[in-house]
Structure formats: structure tokens, C-alpha cells
Amino acid sequence: MCYNRAPSRRSFATLLAAGAGMTALAACTPDNRLASPTAAPSASGLPTPTPTMATTTAVPSAASDPPPSSAPPSKAPPSGVLSQQFSLSDPTSRWVIVNKHRPLTPLEFVPPDLVQPRVQLAVSGEASMLNSTTAGAAEKLFAAAASAGVTMTLASGYRSFQTQTATYNGYVDTRGQASADTASARPGFSEHQTGWAFDIGDGGGACSFEPCFADQPAAVWAKANAYKYGFVVRYPWMLNEITGYYYEPWHLRYIGVEAATDMAKRGIGTLEEYFGLEAAPGYP
Ligand SMILES: [Zn+2]
């Protein structure tokens, strides 16, 4: 099901200003994930990762309960206090972990419940879609931001396997695979394909998908408050050797309020650490 929502005049303007979807489509890649020492805002609400969590070496997670080496666990016991556990492998699970070691299964997965959230959109088409659970949570997140006087836009949501393939192959054709891997996730390896993740903008675009976005009100507010609505900043500052991606203050991932709050309280920066999975700095 889809919401048949006519974009507001402002979102049309934003859409035009953003040059439609390609800006967001090509973004959220390592080319735009260049870390900048000045782009790291101090913690504003959320605990900072503990020193053991802030490692930048490519060692496996030091979190407790490492998975069996033979296969990833289907469920994780991150704290023993959460009321519900979810699969880490099923792409319809809010805890599915997709990184450079863990492609989607099936590789061409399509969320069965894509909808367009009722939020300020900076994109159209598939990129304006999220799975229904994430869309509902995003509406609460965006409304709370607006109540705090913070403008937040949906800059890039769902991205199909086919779109990711076209994007990735375009890089391979022009730059070769090694360079392509620094510029685009391989098809089947993008969290955007799950429907559980999206990128935010601030309606202005000056720092869209750039390190300086970390200092914009939308990113500052999201970093401090997103967990209350079930989201984590998926690729935190200086944890790229664990996540495989440089800091993306715009990329939010839904895991549910309980788990996101637990992560925030415990100061755990990455889903890999939280769920006791190995670091995924690059493709095997
Ligand atoms: Zn993203």
C-alpha cells in the first residue's frame, strides 16, 4: 500500500533544488563519507562510545556473546533485558544486519510493505519509500524534530537492487571495480535496499551528504534524539573500520525504540558491536 500524498509546494521546490533523485542516489557513498576532523560534533545527548568501542582497527567486535564462527546467529541476545529478539539475517526483521560481510538474503530482496511516509520529501519515486514500520517511526521522528524547530527532509530512502546495480555498474564502467567499491555499495549490500534506513536532509542542501552536515541542526538533533524513535546513526564518527563506512550523520537506521535506547544508554556505537558481530571494514 502507498500513501497517495501530493507533495507540498515546498517539497516540490526542495525536490527541484535537489536536482531530483540522482543527488541522493549517488550520495551516501564513501566518496561522500570523507571524514573531517571538524565534522565531529561533541556528544549532545547520547553517550559517546566507550574507549573499547572506539577502536578504529579492523578487529572483530569486543562485544560479548560473539556468534559461532560457522554461521551468523539468527537472533542475538544483546542485553538479556530486551523484551523481544529479532532475526539478524531476515531482511524483514528490524534487526537485520547488512554490511560488507553480510549481503541481503535474498540478494534481490524487495520489502513487501513499501510506503511513502508522510514527511517532508526531498526525493520522489522509490527513494521516497520506506517499509511500513520505518515509515511510521519516521513520521514520529520528523514531527518531533519539527516541534523542536528543526527542519528535516527525507533525502533518500529505499533503493532497489536494480537501482543499486545501475549505480554501481556505472562506477565500474568509468572507474574500475576497485574505485567503484569506494564510491558505491555493491548491489545487495546496501542498507537502503532493506527499507529500514534512510538519509535525512535539512531542506537547504548546503551540506547535504557532506561531512559538514554533522553540524547542521537536523543532524545535531537526530544524533541526540533519534534513539527515542527507534533509530540509530548507523555509521558513526571514527567507527568506519567496524561498519565499513565513514561517518554519515545523515544515515538513520530503524531498530526499534527498545534496542536503540539500550544502545544509547550503554554507549554502543555500532550495530556490529551491539549484536556481537565481526567488524566489516571491507568486502571479503
Ligand atoms: Zn544512507
Side-chain angles (χ1 to χ4, degrees), residues 97-250:
I97 306 301
V98 175
N99 60 32
K100 291 177 178 177
H101 289 189
R102 296 172 60 93
L104 279 89
T105 305
L107 207 60
E108 299 187 28
F109 171 76
V110 177
D113 58 341
L114 288 171
V115 298
Q116 189 178 72
R118 299 173 189 271
V119 301
Q120 186 173 338
L121 301 174
V123 286
S124 59
E126 70 173 28
S128 68
M129 312 288 274
L130 303 168
N131 71 37
S132 60
T133 301
T134 305
E139 290 170 358
K140 295 177 182 175
L141 175 84
F142 279 61
S147 295
V150 173
T151 299
M152 190 177 287
T153 62
L154 176 59
S156 184
Y158 170 65
R159 194 176 309 150
S160 67
F161 179 88
Q162 288 73 18
T163 298
Q164 193 70 37
T165 298
T167 302
Y168 180 77
N169 287 348
Y171 281 113
V172 171
D173 288 345
T174 56
R175 302 162 55 158
Q177 182 168 19
S179 179
D181 280 337
T182 70
S184 170
R186 293 180 183 176
F189 288 81
S190 172
E191 201 174 54
H192 282 271
Q193 192 184 327
T194 69
W196 294 108
F198 59 84
D199 304 319
I200 58 170
D202 63 3
C207 284
S208 293
F209 300 106
E210 299 291 339
C212 60
F213 187 70
D215 298 321
Q216 301 304 306
V220 171
W221 187 90
K223 181 179 180 182
N225 297 286
Y227 76 94
K228 300 171 188 174
Y229 306 92
F231 293 94
V232 298
V233 177
R234 177 69 175 95
Y235 307 117
W237 171 246
M238 292 295 284
L239 297 179
N240 52 290
E241 289 293 343
I242 297 174
T243 65
Y245 295 97
Y246 288 105
Y247 187 31
E248 292 194 4
W250 52 83

Side-chain angles (χ1 to χ4, degrees), residues 44-100:
S44 52
L46 288 182
T48 54
T50 60
T52 56
M53 294 299 178
T55 176
T56 57
T57 57
V59 297
S61 164
S64 60
D65 301 324
S69 58
S70 57
S74 60
K75 292 186 176 181
S79 73
V81 299
L82 299 186
S83 63
Q84 283 184 285
Q85 302 280 311
F86 301 91
S87 169
L88 303 182
S89 302
D90 180 350
T92 66
S93 162
R94 65 180 60 180
W95 285 0
V96 65
I97 306 301
V98 175
N99 60 32
K100 291 177 178 177

